[in-house]
């Protein structure tokens, strides 16, 4: 994984990192993984109406891709 590249605090850096990850590996997350991620985000102090205050990403679309990561490292890891 590219943990060092993901989830910069600047929205535009984060957007660029997300696009790079999708080009490199567009594999979709399983429904179970996506739902688990969203459940974590629901109760997260950094969630601001569906947008992460740490990286600026919108959590719903981000949760759909397997190689995405939470900037607070709270999401479960994919089984691969």
């Amino acid at each position: 994984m590219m943990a060092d590249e993901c989830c910069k605090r600047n929205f535009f850096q984060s957007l660029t990192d997300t696009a790079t990850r999708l080009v490199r590996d567009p594999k979709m997350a399983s429904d179970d993984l996506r739902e688990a991620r969203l459940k974590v985000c629901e109760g997260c102090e950094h969630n601001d109406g569906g947008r992460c205050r740490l990286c600026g990403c919108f959590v719903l679309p981000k949760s759909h891709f397997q190689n995405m990561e939470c900037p607070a490292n709270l999401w479960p890891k994919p089984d691969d």
Side-chain angles (χ1 to χ4, degrees):
M1 293 238 174
M2 298 174 274
D4 57 329
E5 293 178 24
C6 180
C7 307
K8 307 294 186 201
R9 292 192 182 267
N10 176 295
F11 173 73
F12 294 105
Q13 287 177 326
S14 199
L15 184 63
T16 300
D17 293 339
T18 298
T20 300
R21 284 171 167 258
L22 292 178
V23 167
R24 289 183 186 165
D25 182 11
K27 187 174 180 181
M28 301 297 285
S30 68
D31 289 343
D32 289 340
L33 179 59
R34 181 180 45 79
E35 289 173 16
R37 288 173 169 180
L38 292 174
K39 186 172 183 162
V40 167
C41 291
E42 281 178 19
C44 182
E45 66 182 296
H46 305 293
N47 185 352
D48 185 15
R51 189 167 178 186
C52 178
R53 284 191 206 112
L54 293 179
C55 65
C57 290
F58 292 94
V59 296
L60 180 61
K62 184 175 180 175
S63 70
H64 281 77
F65 297 95
Q66 183 166 310
N67 67 348
M68 296 298 158
E69 295 179 355
C70 166
N73 203 28
L74 299 174
W75 278 1
K77 303 294 181 205
D79 292 333
D80 291 327

